[in-house]
Amino acid sequence: RWKKKQEQFYESHRAELTLWNAANRYLRANAPNMKLTVKAWETELAELTAMNKGEYEKLKASRAEVAELQEIRRYVDIAQRAEQPQRTKTKKQDHEL
């Protein structure tokens, strides 16, 4: 009677159980003496989250600087395009004279 329910559960959660089994095999092979505790994971998560926030602030500052440089580049390109037709006109006028 329990066997059928067990099989149904396994079939309905096959993907999750496969992932769990693979992770379990990997951890047992690579860290046999390592005890994994929830508190250790929580502290590591908190440290990594704080590190992530710090790095994200640096990224936002870099993005702002890049946006400013792109805006300057756009204005320089516009100015160069505005000068370019004037140069061609002066060359044509020089050839006509």
Side-chain angles (χ1 to χ4, degrees), residues 1-8 11 21-23 25 33 35 38 42 44 47 55-56 61 64 83-84 86 89 91:
R1 174 175 140 173
W2 289 104
K3 189 78 167 167
K4 187 172 185 172
K5 286 184 180 182
Q6 213 175 19
E7 289 174 1
Q8 286 175 346
E11 288 301 319
N21 287 331
R25 282 192 307 271
N33 297 329
K35 291 196 175 210
V38 175
E42 287 173 347
E44 184 179 358
E47 290 171 3
E55 293 296 322
Y56 186 68
E83 283 182 7
Q84 204 168 20
Q86 291 175 356
K89 287 180 185 177
K91 286 182 183 178

Side-chain angles (χ1 to χ4, degrees), residues 32-95:
N33 297 329
M34 187 173 136
K35 291 196 175 210
L36 303 173
T37 61
V38 175
K39 284 189 178 185
W41 282 5
E42 287 173 347
T43 55
E44 184 179 358
L45 176 65
E47 290 171 3
L48 291 175
T49 303
M51 219 167 62
N52 186 24
K53 286 181 182 178
E55 293 296 322
Y56 186 68
E57 291 301 320
K58 289 179 188 176
L59 177 65
K60 285 190 339 188
S62 297
R63 281 183 180 172
E65 185 178 341
V66 167
E68 185 178 327
L69 291 173
Q70 286 177 340
E71 188 175 344
I72 291 170
R73 181 180 178 193
R74 191 180 80 218
Y75 289 136
V76 168
D77 288 343
I78 290 170
Q80 284 178 343
R81 277 190 253 131
E83 283 182 7
Q84 204 168 20
Q86 291 175 356
R87 288 182 187 167
T88 57
K89 287 180 185 177
T90 56
K91 286 182 183 178
K92 286 181 184 177
Q93 290 173 355
D94 289 340
H95 290 293

